[in-house]
Amino acid sequence: MTATVQPDAATSLQSELVLVLDFGSQTAQLIARRIRDLNVFCQLVRHDISAERVKELAPRGIILSGGPASVYGEKAPKCDPEIFNLGIPVLGICYGMQLTCQALGGVVQAGTTREFGRTELKTLEDHPLVAGLPATSTVWMSHGDQVQQAGDEFIPIASTHSCPMAAVRHRSRQIFGLQFHPEVTHSEYGKQLLENFLRKCCGCAGTWQIESLIEQQVTAIRARVGNSRVICGLSGGVDSSVVAALLYKAIGSQLSCIFVDNGLLRKGECEKVRERFQNHFKTDLHVVDASHRFLSELAGVVDPQQKRKIIGRVFIEVFRKEAESITDARFLAQGTLYPDVIESGGSPDGPAATIKYHHNVGGLPEQLGFELIEPLRDLFKDEVRRMGLALGLSEELIWRHPFPGPGLGVRCLGGITSERLHALREADAIVLEELRKAGLYRTIQQAFAVILPVQSVGVMGDGRTYEETIAVRAVTTDDFMTADWYPLPYDLMRIISTRIINEVRGVNRVVYDISSKPPSTIEWE
Ligand code: XMP
């Protein structure tokens, strides 16, 4: 059997769908998230989706995103002009506005002044799209071109000092344009504008909720799976836990979970998984203790890439063997999220592939021979968190910092031994415990301990020591692509350092990592 991709869920999930046509803007995903936050289901699709396909999907509204091109550029991405004739409300944002106006008779040119950043918007007309906006407000602009002449078809409803047509409406159709970006938080009334478009122009009631999605998914999973068995690989992280909890709700005892203990887990991780998926959700949980196998294959290996390769390979071998022992399994559930789908170009209507930034070691290959179930493939991370909480998973798990697939393997620099891993695990637990106590765990997006391949001289009691060094890392970040080191309070650093040196045998020195990404990375290997 080969892996299959689930049919596009857009048709089944939502009675109120809004499509965002992606013209390559960095904020296209953000538009989708804002719309979902307004309880309207929204999907990002290719900019050249055909009007026919749009008709099939029957959205309540269409949004054309911004984009880096100029509408007069040679390779300017266009949309099917027929989408303007479907009778579905359209909102063009920035490039999307220029394209809309151009398609319907307006003239776009380079503005006399390019506008980037904050600017003041004046509303010119009392229109439902700008309802609730004061006479002037701050918006975020980022454009060189702008609509110079709206033709006979468009009427300006707001302007800025250098952009007379900052917001326009079509004379007779439900077609609108915004030259600024309502999706970014710097646009003061951006959310209000989007809400006005959804509610007042598209007639959306805003009934999409995570609970309704759970119900829809449960029904869809039951229909797809029938009486078959589903395997779910647990990593201890948020995504796979939410998938397992959702599947448990849908199919109960037909679910088997596999958790591989690779010996590179954090303190207490295995016990927590047992507590959650054996005691709380009573799944058929297979915990495979493969720590000896991993550690013996890693013995003497110091090269980071080599470590990753070994860990990835052994994981697949161990997982495969366990999965094969579950003889009646037909499906494999995975925690693929919407950004992964978009990034890998894996959705039939999805926008073109962009570069996937993370190295997903610890994942499973498609050739395991199961049909895939990916119930989170329509969701953003924050929606997965909301779903997890609604399914009864703990706050502690839901807000857990990310932990890389290769685990402590890439935080134990130099040779990996069970003694060094033990010291690292204890030190890491102290770091996290103290951050929680100080109320900083949620302020920081990722924090951990690293054991360095450096021994140094110390003095304990009357004796000289020559022992290991622990580095502490704590970063804040929006997307893990860039990150800044967090200035931990000195008192907290003192507590962490004192506790690690006193409580963790074999460690006599603690250092704090003050490097940002780039040029460093978050992990040390
Ligand atoms: P870096 O170190 O590249 O990490 O700044 C960015 C984010 O990715 C996580 N990370 C990984 N996750 N497998 C994973 O599943 C990996 O091999 C891996 N390497 C890094 C890292 O923890 C951080 O959140």
Side-chain angles (χ1 to χ4, degrees):
M1 263 178 291
T2 50
T4 55
V5 175
Q6 267 192 310
D8 185 11
T11 40
S12 58
L13 279 184
Q14 325 67 35
S15 48
E16 283 187 349
L17 169 69
V18 165
L19 295 180
V20 176
L21 272 54
D22 182 6
F23 289 91
S25 165
Q26 292 183 340
T27 56
Q29 275 203 35
L30 198 56
I31 301 174
R33 294 182 61 162
R34 295 279 180 263
I35 306 253
R36 289 184 182 193
D37 284 345
L38 291 162
N39 299 325
V40 173
F41 189 74
C42 175
Q43 270 199 317
L44 212 54
V45 294
R46 298 174 59 92
H47 62 83
D48 55 358
I49 187 170
S50 69
E52 216 151 283
R53 177 67 180 142
V54 171
K55 216 164 139 186
E56 267 172 41
L57 293 170
R60 287 290 181 93
I62 300 170
I63 295 182
L64 275 50
S65 85
S70 161
V71 288
Y72 289 115
E74 239 173 65
K75 291 194 180 142
K78 303 276 177 202
C79 60
D80 181 343
E82 280 305 306
I83 62 165
F84 297 112
N85 299 325
L86 295 174
I88 300 170
V90 175
L91 174 68
I93 294 176
C94 196
Y95 179 85
M97 166 186 182
Q98 295 161 14
L99 201 65
T100 304
C101 292
Q102 189 198 37
L104 300 175
V107 176
V108 180
Q109 282 172 357
T112 40
T113 359
R114 293 151 68 88
E115 260 185 311
F116 293 97
R118 277 166 223 270
T119 186
E120 192 183 77
L121 182 81
K122 280 199 182 80
T123 43
L124 307 171
E125 188 183 279
D126 191 16
H127 184 273
L129 186 67
V130 287
L133 264 71
T136 59
S137 61
T138 303
V139 292
W140 187 263
M141 285 280 193
S142 172
H143 69 103
D145 291 354
Q146 64 182 33
V147 177
Q148 291 294 2
Q149 291 165 31
D152 292 337
E153 302 299 318
F154 288 94
I155 295 168
I157 47 181
S159 65
T160 70
H161 68 284
S162 66
C163 182
M165 271 160 284
V168 294
R169 66 177 171 86
H170 191 275
R171 192 171 290 281
S172 56
R173 300 196 233 164
Q174 291 282 76
I175 296 180
F176 309 90
L178 300 176
Q179 182 56 68
F180 54 89
H181 289 273
E183 68 277 19
V184 305
T185 45
H186 308 289
S187 288
E188 240 183 322
Y189 287 85
K191 187 173 172 208
Q192 178 77 60
L193 274 161
L194 289 173
E195 187 168 6
N196 288 345
F197 175 69
L198 298 174
R199 299 271 156 89
K200 298 182 196 293
C201 306
C202 305
C204 294
T207 50
W208 188 74
Q209 280 179 345
I210 219 71
E211 285 76 10
S212 42
L213 182 65
I214 293 176
E215 290 312 317
Q216 284 160 336
Q217 282 290 355
V218 162
T219 311
I221 291 167
R222 282 185 190 146
R224 175 135 186 254
V225 166
N227 296 323
S228 305
R229 176 158 295 281
V230 180
I231 292 179
C232 178
L234 290 174
S235 70
V238 181
D239 305 340
S240 65
S241 300
V242 173
V243 171
L246 181 64
L247 279 160
Y248 184 71
K249 186 175 167 78
I251 56 167
S253 60
Q254 283 164 252
L255 172 68
S256 295
C257 292
I258 299 178
F259 179 72
V260 176
D261 181 349
N262 58 10
L264 305 165
L265 304 169
R266 279 176 297 187
K267 189 174 178 181
E269 197 76 59
C270 198
E271 293 71 26
K272 278 185 201 146
V273 169
R274 275 191 201 280
E275 170 55 34
R276 224 170 268 141
F277 290 101
Q278 206 156 44
N279 302 348
H280 180 62
F281 299 114
K282 304 209 174 324
T283 68
D284 169 39
L285 175 67
H286 299 234
V287 176
V288 190
D289 181 0
S291 44
H292 289 296
R293 165 98 195 270
F294 277 88
L295 294 196
S296 68
E297 298 241 11
L298 286 166
V301 179
V302 293
D303 176 65
Q305 283 313 90
Q306 202 54 29
K307 283 182 187 173
R308 274 174 204 278
K309 276 198 194 129
I310 294 170
I311 297 166
R313 171 178 56 78
V314 177
F315 175 80
I316 290 163
E317 287 167 13
V318 171
F319 190 93
R320 185 194 296 264
K321 186 155 175 262
E322 191 62 27
E324 280 168 3
S325 77
I326 305 171
T327 47
D328 56 344
R330 184 174 150 204
F331 295 94
L332 178 71
Q334 287 202 330
T336 317
L337 304 195
Y338 194 46
D340 303 331
V341 175
I342 299 171
E343 280 167 11
S344 59
S347 160
D349 299 315
T354 54
I355 299 153
K356 210 168 161 65
Y357 70 92
H358 55 83
H359 9 230
N360 196 13
V361 174
L364 289 167
E366 289 192 351
Q367 317 78 356
L368 277 187
F370 296 100
E371 290 176 52
L372 286 186
I373 294 192
E374 298 175 305
L376 310 183
R377 50 185 284 131
D378 282 322
L379 303 187
F380 289 111
K381 188 82 181 187
D382 49 336
E383 294 169 329
V384 171
R385 291 204 166 101
R386 286 198 335 245
M387 183 183 258
L389 289 172
L391 286 166
L393 292 169
S394 68
E395 292 261 350
E396 187 202 336
L397 167 69
I398 291 302
W399 291 106
R400 202 184 89 128
H401 290 176
F403 186 59
L408 299 184
V410 290
R411 294 179 181 171
C412 187
L413 276 61
I416 299 177
T417 62
S418 51
E419 293 74 29
R420 296 189 78 216
L421 284 172
H422 180 74
L424 172 57
R425 206 172 270 128
E426 294 298 319
D428 188 67
I430 291 171
V431 172
L432 298 183
E433 188 187 323
E434 291 302 331
L435 286 180
R436 282 206 168 88
K437 267 200 226 158
L440 285 175
Y441 186 81
R442 290 269 300 268
T443 310
I444 290 162
Q445 279 68 53
Q446 198 167 4
F448 50 90
V450 181
I451 190 161
L452 304 185
V454 174
Q455 289 196 309
S456 69
V457 175
V459 51
M460 273 190 197
D462 290 331
R464 176 185 184 276
T465 58
Y466 188 61
E467 292 181 330
E468 306 267 12
T469 311
I470 290 285
V472 177
R473 181 98 165 117
V475 297
T476 50
T477 170
D478 282 334
D479 55 9
F480 297 90
M481 293 173 78
T482 61
D484 207 356
W485 61 276
Y486 185 79
L488 286 183
Y490 284 151
D491 286 346
L492 180 58
M493 289 201 203
R494 197 186 320 278
I495 294 170
I496 290 174
S497 155
T498 309
R499 277 197 61 192
I500 292 176
I501 291 172
N502 286 348
E503 294 174 34
V504 183
R505 281 183 78 104
V507 174
N508 67 356
R509 195 171 293 270
V510 174
V511 297
Y512 191 56
D513 181 350
I514 51 166
S515 340
S516 61
K517 171 183 179 177
S520 300
T521 51
I522 296 175
E523 302 290 346
W524 277 52
E525 283 194 341

